[in-house]
Amino acid sequence: MKARFFAVLIIGVLAAGSALAKEPIRLDASSDAAAESSWKQMIESVSAEKKQKLLLAMLQINLDGVNSAYEVVGNPELQGFGIARVKDRVAGLDADEIIELGSRTSGAEIRIQSVQ
């Protein structure tokens, strides 16, 4: 009887642990520092491929509505891209949701070229 109880208890703990582990990291926009911290955790928790997509999405969100490099040069606010600048737009979103939001933004075209 005790063995069955402990087996059920262990299974319950493992199931709860795996459910918690699957919960995605969401961006905390309560402050700039919290946004930077949760962004760093998010970036570190994803694969290299998803990290690239996530960083590109953050850049796209930062550039939303920007139509040319001249706008970037003329606007000091646009010269520093970071999650704190757009934290209110991505508040509470997980990595997949940020990537989706980035794909829906309109702005300057971004091209990635690999250097060989």
Side-chain angles (χ1 to χ4, degrees), residues 40-52:
K40 183 179 177 183
Q41 290 175 351
M42 186 181 292
I43 290 293
E44 291 173 353
S45 73
V46 297
S47 68
E49 180 183 349
K50 189 176 249 185
K51 181 178 182 177
Q52 183 178 16

Side-chain angles (χ1 to χ4, degrees), residues 20-26 94-96:
L20 291 175
K22 292 181 182 181
E23 183 65 30
I25 296 171
R26 297 194 172 275
D94 65 23
D96 291 329

